[in-house]
Amino acid sequence: MLLILIIFVELINGIYMTNQFIEEPEDIETIIGSTIILRCRTEPIHQTQVNWCKNDFCTLGKTRDLPFYPRYQIIGHAHQGEHHFKIVNVSLEDNGMYQCQIQAGPRRSGSMSRKAKLTVLQIPTSLSIDNPIILIENVLSFIICRGDDGMPEAKLSWHIPKSINYLSINDYVLLSGQSLRNSISNLTLIPNRSYHGILIQCQAHSSAILLNNKTMITQQYIQTIFRPEINISLIGQQIENKIITIQCYVNSRPKLIKIEWFNGTDLLNVTNENRLSFILTRYMHKNKITCQATNQVGKTNQSIELYITYKPIFIDKYGNKLNNYSVVLVNEGESIELECFIDSSPSSLITWIFNNKIISINKTFFQIDYIQTIQHIGIYICSAHHSFFGTFNRTIRLALKGPPEMIEDKIIDSVYVGQSVILVCSISKDIPIQEIYWSREDQSKIISNEKYEINENESDNIIKYKLLIKNVLLSDNGYYICTGINQYGSSITKYQLRVIHINHLLIRPFFLYGSIIIGIFISFILIILALINNYQQKKTKRIRKKSSTTDETISSLTKQQEYVQHDYQDEPNSIIDQQFIHNHTNDIFDSCQHDLFYFENNSKRYSTVV
């Protein structure tokens, strides 16, 4: 019974303590730096009997000014039961659970209010997109938006144009100092060139932002970069010894750093010029010319293979160039295979010709099984016909093995005493020569000294072995022998030198100049005779003209004589007068003849008579 009474009393006391809190603190969210008040009101009791607890720590202070916590203070009218908790310049360290406590006293138990949660909010100190947004075309890329130092952490969202296709968006939070949160959003995409210049936005959302009635948005323009794009082309004809130009068109973002040109793997030059000009050679055939462009993204190259048209040349089986003339030495009865390798582009048509007749077509080799002097020895021509450059020939002389072949140009030479003379010995190079020397009959070899000078000149097929004899004397008269030796034997050629005495040297100019003088004299005489003949012709013409005029005069006088005779015939007795007339007529004829003589020498006299 006593126990029941005690329990009843305690129950009544407990109900009384609970009713002591008229107002208890509520949960609060506030922005950092603000001032807040947690409310607590009780029945009127002494102020010392009420204090506040933070996170179950109830020793903040016994006085209302809480001197150990300058930003904390208990305010209100204590006699009215107001014990509110004030926090000035709220900071993150104020986050926690707060309670108002009534301490126990005489005949009174203590009491605790409900726990009130204080949440301090922080707007992100910064919202940004990692910049600049430089993306590489067709490469997996990320665009990152960051909201730093928020409480609670900000939620990030993207405003992306529909033209951009992204793969995913990943959000995550990182702890910062003082329990703040960093929000990160990762946008994953594979960009292409069309994304360049597009504006995208990132927005932050949080209760702190909403509480402050603010909007946080950041934005950036996308920059899409790419490796250089190359388009290579060739300008000009691909013909040997012609100049061609290779054009390298480049599209690039960012700008080019350099352009490099390669011939195969060999670097030609480093330049920013996108044109390369050079002269084509046959050795560049099927070479790859490469244009390589470099920017900050990387390198790109493109090649063009050369197909050069070049004229035929004759080569051996190892690719070495051959002369267009060669000699093959054989023995009669043996077999031999003649070769004709041609380097040309495009390929040339091969034709074998012997004695002006085609003996084989489109074959590199020509086989002779059994050599006969009459049928096979001679000149063989390998003819290469090229579709662009025409026909080229290589001559192969098939010759029998034997001693050197001497070519005689001039074997007799005349020279005057005191002069110099050169004797020339010509030897074919078709058969190899081991030794050549000059000598006189029954004498040893001639060597170069003050008297003799020996020189050797070579052309394609001939060796000219020259002997210069200085200040010729009568004793130098005679035969000089040129001897050629090879592995098959020797050959000689004799040259006769005729030395003419000095007296003959003087007679020769006499006859020369005498002939010239006689020729001039004869020419002078012929000119004189021609002038006289011309004068005689003119004279004859004048005489003929004079004769014609005189005949007319004589004819006129004859008529007058007839008239006179006729008149005197009418008077027969006038014999004396007739005699006078006859005599007078004769005088007239004599006078005419006398005038004719003077006509030849004096034209004035002739005109007087007329």
Side-chain angles (χ1 to χ4, degrees):
M1 190 67 181
L2 178 61
L3 179 61
I4 295 172
L5 180 61
I6 293 171
I7 294 171
F8 179 75
V9 172
E10 291 294 333
L11 181 60
I12 293 174
N13 290 334
I15 293 172
Y16 180 77
M17 289 175 64
T18 303
N19 291 333
Q20 287 179 347
F21 287 99
I22 299 173
E23 184 177 6
E24 297 183 70
E26 299 289 337
D27 294 343
I28 295 177
E29 289 185 347
T30 186
I31 300 299
I32 192 170
S34 62
T35 299
I36 58 101
I37 297 176
L38 295 171
R39 302 185 66 83
C40 178
R41 194 156 57 89
T42 64
E43 293 291 336
I45 57 176
H46 194 276
Q47 62 181 9
T48 60
Q49 294 179 326
V50 178
N51 64 348
W52 280 82
C53 301
K54 176 182 178 183
N55 296 330
D56 298 326
F57 180 72
C58 299
T59 58
L60 295 178
K62 294 183 179 181
T63 60
R64 292 175 69 91
D65 57 355
L66 303 175
F68 295 104
Y69 299 93
R71 295 186 298 105
Y72 294 172
Q73 185 180 5
I74 299 174
I75 62 173
H77 300 286
H79 63 278
Q80 297 179 4
E82 295 178 350
H83 309 282
H84 309 311
F85 192 74
K86 180 179 180 182
I87 304 176
V88 179
N89 193 18
V90 174
S91 67
L92 291 175
E93 64 183 18
D94 298 329
N95 270 313
M97 305 299 292
Y98 290 84
Q99 287 180 296
C100 184
Q101 180 185 38
I102 300 175
Q103 298 179 2
R107 300 171 64 182
R108 182 186 299 274
S109 61
S111 179
M112 299 290 291
S113 71
R114 66 179 297 275
K115 290 184 177 181
K117 181 179 181 181
L118 174 61
T119 302
V120 180
L121 304 179
Q122 168 69 46
I123 297 175
T125 57
S126 65
L127 178 66
S128 63
I129 297 175
D130 289 357
N131 59 46
I133 304 177
I134 301 178
L135 310 179
I136 301 176
E137 183 181 28
N138 299 325
V139 175
L140 185 66
S141 303
F142 306 95
I143 302 176
I144 297 175
C145 180
R146 302 177 187 274
D148 294 332
D149 296 333
M151 179 57 73
E153 68 274 7
K155 298 193 67 168
L156 305 177
S157 64
W158 293 91
H159 300 280
I160 304 172
K162 294 181 179 180
S163 58
I164 294 180
N165 296 319
Y166 62 89
L167 300 178
S168 64
I169 297 176
N170 298 312
D171 297 328
Y172 50 96
V173 178
L174 298 177
L175 286 176
S176 179
Q178 298 181 349
S179 301
L180 294 176
R181 304 287 191 272
N182 293 334
S183 301
I184 299 175
S185 183
N186 190 353
L187 177 66
T188 304
L189 71 165
I190 298 177
N192 60 48
R193 202 168 306 178
S194 65
Y195 293 178
H196 185 72
I198 292 179
L199 181 68
I200 62 170
Q201 295 177 327
C202 177
Q203 184 172 359
H205 307 273
S206 72
S207 55
I209 298 171
L210 186 61
L211 188 63
N212 279 270
N213 196 26
K214 291 185 177 181
T215 301
M216 293 189 72
I217 295 179
T218 185
Q219 61 185 21
Q220 287 288 337
Y221 287 95
I222 295 177
Q223 299 181 49
T224 305
I225 61 176
F226 51 89
R227 294 172 182 266
E229 285 185 348
I230 295 177
N231 184 17
I232 193 170
S233 63
L234 188 147
I235 303 171
Q237 292 181 309
Q238 296 188 61
I239 300 175
E240 184 179 20
N241 297 325
K242 295 288 186 180
I243 297 177
I244 66 163
T245 299
I246 297 180
Q247 182 78 47
C248 186
Y249 298 97
V250 182
N251 184 21
S252 171
R253 188 188 303 128
K255 65 181 181 179
L256 289 174
I257 297 175
K258 62 182 176 180
I259 293 179
E260 298 170 293
W261 291 92
F262 294 86
N263 181 9
T265 58
D266 297 331
L267 178 64
L268 297 177
N269 58 16
V270 179
T271 177
N272 284 328
E273 294 295 330
N274 60 350
R275 293 170 65 92
L276 178 67
S277 298
F278 55 91
I279 298 176
L280 292 174
T281 67
R282 65 177 59 236
Y283 306 107
M284 294 181 180
H285 184 58
K286 292 189 177 180
N287 280 8
K288 284 188 177 180
I289 304 299
T290 302
C291 172
Q292 179 172 282
T294 305
N295 67 1
Q296 292 178 348
V297 180
K299 297 179 181 179
T300 305
N301 61 65
Q302 188 174 2
S303 301
I304 187 168
E305 188 169 359
L306 300 177
Y307 290 93
I308 302 171
T309 299
Y310 56 87
K311 65 183 180 182
I313 62 171
F314 298 95
I315 58 175
D316 61 18
K317 60 183 177 181
Y318 303 106
N320 301 314
K321 184 178 179 181
L322 297 176
N323 293 327
N324 290 338
Y325 179 86
S326 67
V327 178
V328 178
L329 300 178
V330 295
N331 291 316
E332 190 169 6
E334 72 174 302
S335 297
I336 193 169
E337 187 176 62
L338 302 180
E339 299 177 344
C340 185
F341 296 101
I342 298 171
D343 178 27
S344 67
S345 176
S347 299
S348 300
L349 176 66
I350 298 176
T351 303
W352 285 95
I353 300 172
F354 179 66
N355 289 338
N356 296 323
K357 293 182 181 179
I358 296 175
I359 56 177
S360 179
I361 296 177
N362 208 24
K363 290 184 179 180
T364 303
F365 301 95
F366 183 72
Q367 179 73 31
I368 305 175
D369 292 329
Y370 186 84
I371 292 178
Q372 297 180 12
T373 303
I374 298 176
Q375 295 181 4
H376 302 131
I377 298 301
I379 301 297
Y380 290 81
I381 297 176
C382 174
S383 180
H385 180 73
H386 191 274
S387 58
F388 184 84
F389 289 103
T391 302
F392 295 79
N393 294 329
R394 182 170 187 265
T395 300
I396 303 175
R397 180 185 174 191
L398 198 62
L400 293 176
K401 296 176 181 178
E405 181 180 352
M406 313 296 284
I407 302 173
E408 297 180 356
D409 293 328
K410 182 180 180 182
I411 60 175
I412 300 177
D413 208 337
S414 299
V415 65
Y416 293 100
V417 172
Q419 292 184 326
S420 297
V421 67
I422 297 177
L423 303 180
V424 180
C425 175
S426 299
I427 304 177
S428 174
K429 290 174 59 178
D430 291 348
I431 303 176
I433 303 296
Q434 293 178 343
E435 183 182 7
I436 309 173
Y437 63 88
W438 284 96
S439 63
R440 297 191 66 176
E441 284 185 313
D442 302 328
Q443 295 185 17
S444 60
K445 296 180 183 179
I446 297 175
I447 61 174
S448 294
N449 51 33
E450 295 181 355
K451 178 68 175 180
Y452 302 106
E453 183 178 324
I454 299 175
N455 293 308
E456 180 178 333
N457 295 324
E458 292 189 17
S459 61
D460 290 339
N461 303 318
I462 296 176
I463 298 175
K464 291 186 177 293
Y465 202 64
K466 301 177 181 180
L467 174 61
L468 170 62
I469 305 174
K470 306 173 185 177
N471 193 21
V472 174
L473 304 175
L474 288 175
S475 60
D476 295 323
N477 191 74
Y479 287 94
Y480 291 80
I481 300 172
C482 176
T483 303
I485 302 174
N486 66 8
Q487 59 180 332
Y488 306 111
S490 62
S491 300
I492 65 170
T493 300
K494 282 188 176 183
Y495 294 84
Q496 184 180 5
L497 181 62
R498 295 175 178 174
V499 182
I500 302 173
H501 195 273
I502 191 66
N503 293 333
H504 298 287
L505 183 63
L506 296 176
I507 294 172
R508 185 176 178 182
F510 175 78
F511 280 106
L512 176 63
Y513 295 125
S515 299
I516 294 173
I517 293 172
I518 292 172
I520 293 173
F521 179 76
I522 293 173
S523 299
F524 179 76
I525 295 299
L526 291 175
I527 292 171
I528 296 298
L529 292 175
L531 292 174
I532 292 173
N533 181 56
N534 183 53
Y535 176 76
Q536 290 293 338
Q537 289 179 356
K538 290 182 179 180
K539 180 179 178 181
T540 302
K541 289 181 181 179
R542 285 196 295 268
I543 291 173
R544 288 176 180 174
K545 185 175 181 181
K546 175 66 178 176
S547 298
S548 175
T549 306
T550 305
D551 290 342
E552 292 178 359
T553 304
I554 294 172
S555 179
S556 175
L557 291 175
T558 303
K559 289 181 181 181
Q560 291 179 6
Q561 183 180 6
E562 289 177 356
Y563 291 148
V564 171
Q565 290 177 354
H566 182 269
D567 291 338
Y568 280 98
Q569 287 176 358
D570 291 340
E571 296 178 6
N573 295 325
S574 302
I575 298 172
I576 298 173
D577 293 335
Q578 291 179 358
Q579 185 65 35
F580 172 79
I581 293 171
H582 177 74
N583 293 333
H584 184 67
T585 301
N586 291 334
D587 292 338
I588 291 174
F589 277 102
D590 291 339
S591 175
C592 290
Q593 292 177 356
H594 184 70
D595 289 337
L596 181 61
F597 170 78
Y598 278 98
F599 166 74
E600 295 177 358
N601 297 283
N602 193 337
S603 60
K604 293 183 179 180
R605 171 67 181 261
Y606 172 73
S607 58
T608 302
V609 173
V610 175

